[in-house]
Amino acid sequence: MLLANQLGAFAAALQSSGAQTVLLAWLSAIAFTLQIYFDFSGYSDMAIGLGRVLGFRFLENFNYPLIARSATEFWRRWHISLGSWFRDYVYIPLGA
């Protein structure tokens, strides 16, 4: 969360600056990507930890998606629990 907030402020500052260079565009894109990743990962880790405190066991939701080699692998690594939920509660009941 701390990293995500700082990266978000950095990305916003880069986007609002008047200078339009390739380096600033790349820095802004990388900062925004990392902000989204750290934000989702942080919230998921907090939910998993709070669930364990309360006696629940939740699946892990991230498996280093930014090192994926394809869009399909990225989706599988980013949305582990979402993919399994769709498979179990949407795809299979509809007659997989």
Side-chain angles (χ1 to χ4, degrees), residues 1-15:
M1 294 297 302
L2 296 173
L3 292 173
N5 290 338
Q6 295 302 318
L7 285 167
F10 180 65
L14 287 174
Q15 290 172 357

Side-chain angles (χ1 to χ4, degrees), residues 37 41 61-70 73-80:
Y37 173 77
S41 180
N61 197 35
F62 293 101
N63 185 16
Y64 301 106
L66 296 179
I67 63 169
R69 294 184 181 171
S70 68
E73 184 184 3
F74 176 82
W75 178 265
R76 285 187 192 133
R77 289 174 171 268
W78 185 279
H79 296 292
I80 295 170

Side-chain angles (χ1 to χ4, degrees), residues 4-81:
N5 290 338
Q6 295 302 318
L7 285 167
F10 180 65
L14 287 174
Q15 290 172 357
S16 67
S17 69
Q20 297 291 329
T21 65
V22 174
L23 179 62
L24 288 179
W26 273 106
L27 283 175
S28 177
I30 291 169
F32 183 70
T33 301
L34 290 175
Q35 175 201 3
I36 296 298
Y37 173 77
F38 287 138
D39 218 8
F40 284 138
S41 180
Y43 280 124
S44 293
D45 289 342
M46 285 190 286
I48 290 169
L50 185 60
R52 285 190 183 163
V53 167
L54 297 174
F56 297 101
R57 191 113 176 120
F58 296 116
L59 295 174
E60 194 67 34
N61 197 35
F62 293 101
N63 185 16
Y64 301 106
L66 296 179
I67 63 169
R69 294 184 181 171
S70 68
T72 305
E73 184 184 3
F74 176 82
W75 178 265
R76 285 187 192 133
R77 289 174 171 268
W78 185 279
H79 296 292
I80 295 170
S81 60

